[in-house]
Amino acid sequence: LYAGRGPVGLFITRDEGNSWQEMEGVTKLGEKREWPYPATVIDPHVRSILPDPSNPKLIFASIQIGGVIWSEDEGKTWTDSVEGIDPDVHWLDLNPQTSEIYATTGGGAHWTYPATPQPHWGKAVYKSIDRGRTWTSLTDHLPWDYGEPMRHHPTDGAMLYVGVARGVPTEWNRPTGAEGSLIRTADGGKTWQHLTGGLPELLYDPIGDLTFDPADPETMFMATGRGDAAWGQVFLSRDRGANWRHLIFTAPVSSLACGPN
């Protein structure tokens, strides 16, 4: 089990949590890079951890704000990369059928890291075909520049769902809120569909999480809301997201899990 923290650090336990070992390479990398964060009350931190299921020595992690880091020796040494990707990386996910890595980011065109915003920043979704070394934006043509939760379909690696919003959280105080949406690609990111069957055209709250029914991969759930939201909603789809039904819920939702039964 891995655990990420802020300031940037990563820990591992091999005995079900009875003892933990700090991966010193991650800490040293953070000290060397001196990754910044635009909000002074928040430290740069490990946001997402992605062990490669086919290679136990290979581990990826995202740094908010600092790009993607990876280790090829079970965490002894680490390398980082911001080439081609917005450095405000939120979620990482891997297509088990192709080993392509996907990342969602937080609209870094609004930040100043490491100096001035770069042309390839400020996109919602990126993909790497070389194990995280370089990245390409998949959503240049879409109106959303902020991405958070992301899930591959359990049985179709080319199908990816992403919760997106417009602007960064400091802009969500507007009357229309986050202007959140759920988008889906069925071809690995070449084309995207804005899913609206039974959903508002734009959600006031950002999407907090997505999950699938382990007994029925056609059934999925989506939740909106976050810690600073006034309320949240949960939605159910039984046809891969084509149509949705609202499930009554009133608390902000940041994570979902579906039990085996």
Side-chain angles (χ1 to χ4, degrees):
L1 181 67
Y2 300 92
R5 73 163 191 194
V8 173
L10 189 60
F11 293 78
I12 184 172
T13 176
R14 293 182 172 87
D15 56 11
E16 297 182 340
N18 291 306
S19 62
W20 291 84
Q21 178 185 358
E22 183 174 6
M23 292 184 167
E24 295 182 355
V26 175
T27 306
K28 292 178 180 177
L29 191 62
E31 293 171 348
K32 181 179 179 180
R33 295 295 185 269
E34 295 182 346
W35 287 309
Y37 201 90
T40 57
V41 297
I42 302 175
D43 289 314
H45 51 276
V46 175
R47 177 70 184 265
S48 178
I49 305 167
L50 180 66
D52 188 323
S54 64
N55 181 0
K57 293 185 177 181
L58 185 57
I59 312 164
F60 301 90
S62 67
I63 308 298
Q64 187 179 357
I65 296 174
V68 177
I69 64 174
W70 70 88
S71 172
E72 297 177 298
D73 54 14
E74 296 183 275
K76 296 181 179 66
T77 60
W78 291 81
T79 304
D80 66 336
S81 173
V82 292
E83 185 176 345
I85 190 171
D86 184 323
D88 186 13
V89 184
H90 290 161
W91 289 55
L92 296 175
D93 203 2
L94 183 142
N95 181 344
Q97 298 173 357
T98 64
S99 296
E100 296 169 335
I101 304 172
Y102 294 78
T104 59
T105 71
H110 302 259
W111 310 133
T112 54
Y113 170 89
T116 56
Q118 303 298 308
H120 57 268
W121 293 7
K123 316 303 179 185
V125 189
Y126 296 77
K127 180 170 76 171
S128 173
I129 60 174
D130 57 6
R131 314 301 278 169
R133 275 66 174 172
T134 60
W135 298 82
T136 303
S137 168
L138 299 178
T139 52
D140 286 2
H141 59 292
L142 298 181
W144 301 281
D145 53 6
Y146 189 97
E148 276 200 308
M150 171 176 52
R151 303 285 186 194
H152 274 92
H153 188 275
T155 60
D156 186 349
M159 184 167 288
L160 178 69
Y161 299 78
V162 183
V164 291
R166 293 177 179 170
V168 294
T170 53
E171 299 175 320
W172 297 350
N173 293 325
R174 60 197 170 204
T176 53
E179 299 183 7
S181 298
L182 180 63
I183 59 176
R184 178 183 67 185
T185 177
D187 52 19
K190 297 183 180 68
T191 60
W192 293 88
Q193 179 185 5
H194 179 195
L195 300 178
T196 57
L199 298 175
E201 184 73 18
L202 294 174
L203 294 155
Y204 181 84
D205 292 309
I207 295 174
D209 201 4
L210 306 162
T211 193
F212 289 86
D213 184 341
D216 177 13
E218 306 304 294
T219 296
M220 61 182 299
F221 299 86
M222 179 186 77
T224 68
R226 51 188 293 146
D228 54 358
W231 65 299
Q233 303 176 78
V234 179
F235 296 89
L236 162 69
S237 173
R238 297 196 181 277
D239 54 10
R240 295 195 177 197
N243 296 282
W244 294 86
R245 179 165 62 91
H246 181 210
L247 307 179
I248 302 299
F249 201 77
T250 57
V253 184
S254 57
S255 60
L256 286 172
C258 190
N261 299 316

